[in-house]
Each structure stands twice: as structure tokens, then as C-alpha cells.
Amino acid sequence: MAAINSWRKLCSGLHVSGLLRGYGYRNSSSAGADKTIGFIGLGNMGTHMARNLMVKGHSLVVYDIQSASTVHLEKLGARVVPTPAEVASEATRIITMLPAGPHSSCIIDPVFSNPFPNRGAQPNSIFIDSSTIDSDTSKEMANVAKTKDCTYLDSPVSGGVAAAKSGTLTFMVGGPERQFREIQPLLLKMGSKVVHCGPTGAGQAAKICNNMLLGICMIGTAETMNLGIKMGLDPHLLASIINSSSGRCWSSEMYNPVPGVVDKVPASRNYEGGFGTFLMAKDLGLAQTAASGSGSSIPLGGLAYQIYQMMCSKGFSGKDFSAVFQFLQEKETKDNSTD
């Protein structure tokens, strides 16, 4: 909540700092504007995505609320600006990678709703929101963008930090077909697969479904590995059997939650880095909202949501979501001590 309030405080002043074209308005038809990309949100994912764009020839103008997050990119040649407003004033292709819907709305709403006719996003700008948020918010922001002769595309990603580093992310894009085709080459500089899922909000729908399944699978993998270990099986042996059998899944093979089974994943470094438990809880909350709105039954999704919420309340919010394995072990220890 403190982080969201910080973003809101910052964004409330955007109409003051303004998106004056005098800050550096560039005609979108120029070669320079095509090469310059705006990037807002340089966390675990955004930093690597932005770096890949620079490595592949783009100039970047960047912003993050944590100034320390911009240091590495600045050394590589990115131009760091003090507000999101200045990012929008210097680029016509702007990527946002933020933790949640309130952050995205906080950044994008003031850009488009500024009432002054000489301020606002440059005409024909395309905002590419790679944050994972609810579909309704995406649709609302797209509608506002349209009134300003701009386009908003929801473009969440899958693959995690490892894929962000290697440039092999999957992008799930919702929005107009023409603008999708226009930005597809740009996204392929950060990913290996770019899919047009349909109209605005469809990208978020696909991402929410994927992450609900991921959250469920990780809990199942953690429970299975924990049970096998308690029954005397070596975790490496058990994992190898699962991964050559019908129980095989990404959580067991590529991101196993047991420390030491897979090298260089969060479980093997005390669950640091990776995809935070609080983010998984947030995404499962989005799935709950979507299920209610569509009349869908998701009992396992609901149980998974409760488990990740419980983890957050027990101090696991900042750890990778695969820490559900550690959570289960600690829960067993506590339960056994009270018997």
C-alpha cells in the first residue's frame, strides 16, 4: 500500500510538470522517434527487458520510482528522466512494466486526462502495458487513449525473470490488429513469441488464466515433493521420475521448489528474486474477480489464492512464490509442535 501511495503522490503532480511538447516533442515519423523507446518500471523484469532493447539498437528514455533501479541502464546509455511525464514527451512507443493495476492507472490516467490542449501524450503514441492487471482497467485506459489519438495495448508477459534476461518472453497482446503488427517487431526484441489474443483486455485474460494454472501447479508440485521426501525419497530422484512421467510440468522441471534440485532458480538461493508471492496472490485475486464476473467455477484457483494470501500474512510476501514448499514445511513443524 505504501508503494501504491508513493506512485499516486508522484502521479498527482503530473499535470503540473506536464507533458509539454517543448520538453522534447518529436515528430513520430522521424527515424529518431522510431528508435527511441520509453520505458517505465525497472524492477526484476523491466530492467532486463529494457536492457535487451538497448543491446538490439534502441535508445531508451527511462523512469522508475526507485532511482537505484535506473543506475545500470544509465551506465549503458539510457537517458534517465525525473518523471513519467518526460518519458511520454520524448517517445511515441512507451512500455510500462509495473506491479499492479493502481500503478498502471496512476501513470497512464494523468497522461491522457490532462485537460490542457497543449499537453498530453504525442499523437499516434502507442502505450504497451506489460503489467498484469485486470481486463476492465485495460479497457478503460484504452478508451481514454483513443480520445487522445493514441493507442493502448495490454501486453502482459510470461516466462519469468530468466526469460526476461534471455529475451525469450511470451507476450500476450490485446488491442487493435494494426497497432499490434506495428509493435510486434519491437516485442520480439524482448521475447521469442508474440501472440495477438484479440481485442483490448484479451492479453490480460490469457495472462490471468496462465498464472492461475501456474499458481495451482506450484502448490501441487510443492505438496508432491514434500510428501515424497517425507516418505524417504531423494528429491533429485523424485524430480527425475516426475519429469519423465505424466506428472511433469514447468514447476517440477524448470522451477522446482525444493532447494538444490534445479540450479539457479529462486529455491536454490533462499527463494530470493523471481516472482514474488505477493504478485502471485495479486494475480490470483484478479482471477477470482474475473471468475465472478464471468460466472466461472474455479475451486482450485480459490484455494490457491487463499494459500498465497496466507503466505503473505506469514512473512513470505517478498519471497519467490515457489517458497510455498518452505511454507508447507514450516506449517507442518508448527502443527506437529502443538500436538
Side-chain angles (χ1 to χ4, degrees):
M1 182 61 70
I4 292 175
N5 287 337
S6 296
W7 279 94
R8 290 199 179 282
K9 181 179 179 181
L10 169 72
C11 295
S12 65
L14 284 183
H15 72 280
V16 177
S17 57
L19 293 177
L20 290 173
R21 291 171 185 171
Y23 272 154
Y25 175 83
R26 298 173 181 171
N27 190 305
S28 61
S29 64
S30 70
D34 290 340
K35 276 288 186 180
T36 300
I37 305 299
F39 210 111
I40 299 171
L42 301 169
N44 289 338
M45 299 288 290
T47 295
H48 300 300
M49 294 164 67
R51 177 184 55 79
N52 282 329
L53 288 176
M54 296 188 70
V55 168
K56 295 175 182 177
H58 285 281
S59 299
L60 256 63
V61 53
V62 303
Y63 172 81
D64 192 274
I65 193 170
Q66 301 291 339
S67 59
S69 300
T70 65
V71 172
H72 174 66
L73 290 173
E74 187 173 26
K75 289 180 180 178
L76 292 178
R79 172 168 150 70
V80 179
V81 294
T83 67
E86 292 191 48
V87 174
S89 74
E90 297 192 18
T92 58
R93 302 294 178 266
I94 300 156
I95 300 168
T96 52
M97 185 54 150
L98 303 166
H103 303 85
S104 293
S105 296
C106 165
I107 290 297
I108 293 176
D109 280 351
V111 170
F112 291 136
S113 62
N114 195 310
F116 300 102
N118 294 322
R119 299 181 181 183
Q122 300 178 41
N124 301 315
S125 292
I126 299 178
F127 286 77
I128 306 163
D129 192 1
S130 288
S131 317
T132 300
I133 62 177
D134 63 283
S135 295
D136 287 343
T137 297
S138 291
K139 293 173 184 176
E140 290 170 7
M141 289 194 284
N143 287 335
V144 175
K146 190 175 181 179
T147 67
K148 304 299 180 181
D149 296 323
C150 296
T151 301
Y152 170 94
L153 300 174
D154 53 296
S155 183
V157 301
S158 182
V161 175
K165 286 182 179 179
S166 62
T168 57
L169 290 166
T170 294
F171 285 84
M172 295 155 274
V173 186
E177 177 79 18
R178 183 175 66 82
Q179 283 82 0
F180 165 75
R181 295 298 177 194
E182 187 174 344
I183 58 92
Q184 187 177 23
L186 175 67
L187 299 185
L188 284 170
K189 294 180 180 180
M190 299 176 284
S192 58
K193 188 171 185 178
V194 179
V195 182
H196 187 234
C197 300
T200 303
Q204 296 295 351
K207 175 61 186 291
I208 289 168
C209 290
N210 178 79
N211 275 25
M212 183 178 75
L213 180 59
L214 174 61
I216 292 169
C217 286
M218 181 57 75
I219 294 172
T221 301
E223 289 184 347
T224 297
M225 294 298 297
N226 187 48
L227 175 62
I229 292 168
K230 291 293 179 67
M231 294 175 69
L233 292 172
D234 176 80
H236 293 84
L237 173 68
L238 178 56
S240 70
I241 292 171
I242 291 171
N243 293 331
S244 60
S245 304
S246 57
R248 177 184 179 185
C249 64
W250 186 83
S251 295
S252 67
E253 184 176 23
M254 305 300 295
Y255 214 78
N256 198 287
V258 179
V261 170
V262 177
D263 292 334
K264 299 180 181 179
V265 298
S268 295
R269 53 174 188 267
N270 195 33
Y271 301 102
E272 299 298 329
F275 187 64
T277 297
F278 77 99
L279 290 174
M280 178 55 80
K282 181 263 295 182
D283 288 357
L284 289 169
L286 294 177
Q288 292 291 301
T289 300
S292 297
S294 62
S296 303
S297 177
I298 54 168
L300 288 181
L303 288 172
Y305 180 43
Q306 293 176 32
I307 289 171
Y308 287 111
Q309 281 188 309
M310 193 181 304
M311 287 177 66
C312 290
S313 70
K314 299 296 183 181
F316 288 85
S317 61
K319 289 185 176 291
D320 182 75
F321 78 110
S322 61
V324 65
F325 175 79
Q326 187 180 53
F327 170 74
L328 290 172
Q329 289 195 314
E330 291 186 5
K331 187 175 185 301
E332 287 175 346
T333 301
K334 182 177 180 181
D335 290 346
N336 290 335
S337 67
T338 60
D339 289 344

